[in-house]
Amino acid sequence: GAGVSQTPSNKVTEKGKYVELRCDPISGHTALYWYRQSLGQGPEFLIYFQGTGAADDSGLPNDRFFAVRPEGSVSTLKIQRTERGDSAVYLCASSFGAVQETQYFGPGTRLLVL
Amino acid sequence: GENVEQHPSTLSVQEGDSAVIKCTYSDSASNYFPWYKQELGKGPQLIIDIRSNVGEKKDQRIAVTLNKTAKHFSLHITETQPEDSAVYFCAASNQGGSYIPTFGRGTSLIVHP
């Protein structure tokens, strides 16, 4: 079946611009996670949704970052006033139920802020 | 919070050799330790995991060992093949607490044919 999909696969933007990154989880998965992966590093947790609500947003670095999942399926990560330091791969993962379940990752969106 | 250290950062082996990647963690409450394989341009894929109630788990050519006392765990790949070449990440989480995994920095495994 279809895995986690993310769009766009690559995004180049200028400093100060607004970007939206989309994640389409595996059908039926209620839990959805966003991670950020910098070059040479492991994924770093940003936010976790259970259904429509953000169950844990403790990893969001500052108030420029925001994520929504209005219908409990597709999620959008929004970054305002982008900075060069935001350049990274943004990974999305989903799991069937509670956080103890295996997480399935998407291919990521490579964001470059010039 | 949890801190996961992973070594080595790069590992080069000949096809058929074994490869070992080691990780240490700091939070004694961590009880779930997954390992991920990430190929170029793709997201991490879970290859094996271990929970703190067992010391070893094996799945064909890969195995993971856990030493709770020393707070370290290792990934063992035997009879390596060129398609094993990828970046491998270990992670640790507390499934009864914060549950969000903390990842190591990754090991780039290169298997030479």
Side-chain angles (χ1 to χ4, degrees):
Chain A
V4 177
S5 62
Q6 293 186 245
T7 55
S9 54
N10 294 280
K11 177 70 177 179
V12 181
T13 191
E14 294 179 343
K15 180 175 178 296
K17 299 290 188 181
Y18 168 82
V19 297
E20 289 189 352
L21 312 179
R22 175 188 168 111
C23 173
D24 206 332
I26 293 172
S27 178
H29 280 194
T30 61
L32 184 147
Y33 318 78
W34 283 99
Y35 294 85
R36 179 167 68 176
Q37 187 175 24
S38 300
L39 193 64
Q41 305 287 327
E44 292 180 290
F45 168 74
L46 295 177
I47 186 169
Y48 153 59
F49 287 90
Q50 184 62 257
T52 60
D56 186 340
D57 64 358
S58 62
L60 294 177
N62 51 60
D63 62 6
R64 296 188 297 105
F65 289 74
F66 189 70
V68 296
R69 195 185 185 199
E71 298 179 355
S73 178
V74 171
S75 176
T76 304
L77 178 66
K78 307 180 180 190
I79 310 175
Q80 298 177 321
R81 305 183 303 280
T82 52
E83 299 177 357
R84 292 192 179 90
D86 297 335
S87 297
V89 176
Y90 289 82
L91 293 165
C92 176
S94 70
S95 64
F96 181 71
V99 291
Q100 293 90 340
E101 299 285 338
T102 298
Q103 295 187 22
Y104 296 87
F105 282 83
T109 293
R110 284 147 193 81
L111 175 65
L112 177 61
V113 182
L114 300 176
Chain B
E2 175 68 278
N3 181 49
V4 176
E5 299 285 340
Q6 182 172 347
H7 299 279
S9 56
T10 305
L11 181 58
S12 183
V13 300
Q14 288 296 128
E15 181 177 2
D17 289 349
S18 295
V20 180
I21 302 170
K22 299 181 179 182
C23 290
T24 61
Y25 61 98
S26 61
D27 187 351
S28 57
S30 288
N31 55 17
Y32 177 63
F33 307 92
W35 285 88
Y36 291 87
K37 176 183 181 182
Q38 187 172 28
E39 297 176 325
L40 196 61
K42 297 183 179 180
Q45 178 185 11
L46 179 73
I47 54 171
I48 195 168
D49 57 13
I50 191 168
R51 299 183 188 274
S52 60
N53 57 346
V54 298
E56 183 173 359
K57 184 176 179 181
K58 189 173 182 180
D59 183 3
Q60 299 182 347
R61 294 187 297 109
I62 59 173
V64 58
T65 59
L66 171 65
N67 183 326
K68 286 168 49 181
T69 303
K71 295 206 277 291
H72 67 69
F73 56 113
S74 301
L75 177 72
H76 304 253
I77 306 174
T78 59
E79 301 171 27
T80 53
Q81 301 166 4
E83 50 265 38
D84 294 331
S85 297
V87 179
Y88 291 80
F89 292 96
C90 62
S93 68
N94 177 358
Q95 295 289 286
S98 65
Y99 57 78
I100 298 298
T102 299
F103 287 81
R105 294 184 64 170
T107 296
S108 177
L109 174 64
I110 303 167
V111 180
H112 299 282

